[in-house]
Amino acid sequence: MTNTARTRLAVAELTATLTTDFDVPTLLQSVARHARDGFDAYSAVVVLLDRHGGSHPAVHLVAEALRHGISADPLLHNAGPGLSSARDGTVTMIGDIVAEKNPRWASYRQRAMAAGLRGVRAFPVTAFGLPLGALVVHTDNAWGTLRPNDFGQTLADLVAIALSSGPIESRRASTSDNVDAVLRGTTVISFAVGVLAEYFQLDVEQARDRLLRLARTHGRTPTAHAREIIAALHVSPVDPAVSGALHEPPELAPPRHIDL
């Protein structure tokens, strides 16, 4: 069911990223992908609490990885186990949505069954005792006993570390400020991915991968390059590629090196 070597490599890759000048939204997207692949899941998403929502804060989806590239009902992520885990800071789960008879999350269960889903685990993202969100994993078969829950919580803890530290320029900011920045940055990235998807006739996954490649070749973080794409659209709505932001530069920058 779950490949131990693959999960170890996932953790190694993510922890290595945390030692660099990383881009938080991009790291969260990597977490979602590793969770989807590591759990052989239908989908894996990261949701963050909007802590400005009073005593009953809502959650917002900031990263998702889907097996078929088609987004499921958003209420599967911002209601039911995902919402409970994000608010309460606890693991929530349903081993078999179809077989288990439990009145809790009745509306969520109906939506999940309609989508053909059978199992769900939500792993809380917490830092300094403060609930921040959750990593929510859905499977289209019963969860069973072969999926390692410790892998999911490790990924959720890495999300908490990323939010607590943030990129270099904001490491003096509070964790709550980082969450707000991620919510804004995710909106920017989503908009830019939509521009790329429409311009090049790509699906969402392909457009997101193109954004990552463009950012790398232009020497920017994905969030910074997403802003360049949006600026290009505002300058030239008919053809946003005129500015060059939608294509790789004609001359790639030399690779970075360490001066001894």
Side-chain angles (χ1 to χ4, degrees), residues 22-211:
F22 62 93
D23 190 57
V24 180
T26 304
L27 183 137
L28 300 188
Q29 185 61 38
S30 295
V31 167
R33 287 182 178 178
H34 285 307
R36 177 198 62 192
D37 297 341
F39 285 115
D40 188 25
Y42 172 87
S43 69
V45 307
V46 178
V47 296
L48 294 180
L49 278 176
D50 181 354
R51 304 203 64 82
H52 302 294
S55 59
H56 299 288
V59 293
H60 299 282
L61 190 152
V62 296
E64 65 178 341
L66 310 166
R67 180 184 295 163
H68 304 299
I70 301 174
S71 185
D73 186 341
L75 289 179
L76 293 174
H77 311 306
N78 57 25
L83 178 60
S84 295
S85 178
R87 285 179 175 174
D88 301 338
T90 59
V91 175
T92 57
M93 62 192 75
I94 303 177
D96 191 331
I97 296 171
V98 175
E100 292 180 16
K101 304 302 180 183
N102 189 320
R104 191 181 186 192
W105 305 314
S107 177
Y108 159 83
R109 288 172 183 268
Q110 291 176 354
R111 290 178 177 274
M113 286 190 289
L117 302 179
R118 293 284 298 274
V120 61
R121 287 289 190 281
F123 304 95
V125 175
T126 62
F128 312 114
L130 181 71
L132 303 176
L135 169 64
V136 188
V137 182
H138 282 95
T139 58
D140 49 13
N141 53 14
W143 189 268
T145 60
L146 298 180
R147 292 183 169 95
N149 290 324
D150 56 344
F151 175 58
Q153 192 55 58
T154 296
L155 293 179
D157 291 343
L158 290 174
V159 170
I161 293 171
L163 294 172
S164 301
S165 57
I168 285 175
E169 63 270 16
S170 64
R171 285 181 181 171
R172 291 189 177 90
S174 69
T175 300
S176 294
D177 289 342
N178 276 329
V179 171
D180 290 341
V182 170
L183 292 173
R184 293 193 300 271
T186 301
T187 300
V188 170
I189 287 178
S190 296
F191 193 102
V193 166
V195 173
L196 291 171
E198 181 175 353
Y199 189 86
F200 292 106
Q201 297 299 297
L202 305 172
D203 64 31
V204 172
E205 286 288 322
Q206 292 170 329
R208 187 178 287 114
D209 288 341
R210 181 178 286 264
L211 173 61

Side-chain angles (χ1 to χ4, degrees), residues 21-27 188-189 192-193 196 200 206-229 244-249 251-254 256:
D21 182 11
F22 62 93
D23 190 57
V24 180
T26 304
L27 183 137
V188 170
I189 287 178
V193 166
L196 291 171
F200 292 106
Q206 292 170 329
R208 187 178 287 114
D209 288 341
R210 181 178 286 264
L211 173 61
L212 298 182
R213 289 197 304 272
L214 288 172
R216 186 164 55 248
T217 56
H218 282 271
R220 303 187 183 104
T221 67
T223 301
H225 195 72
R227 293 192 181 99
E228 293 291 326
I229 291 174
L246 274 67
H247 296 286
E248 295 182 358
E251 295 184 4
L252 299 181
R256 297 178 180 179

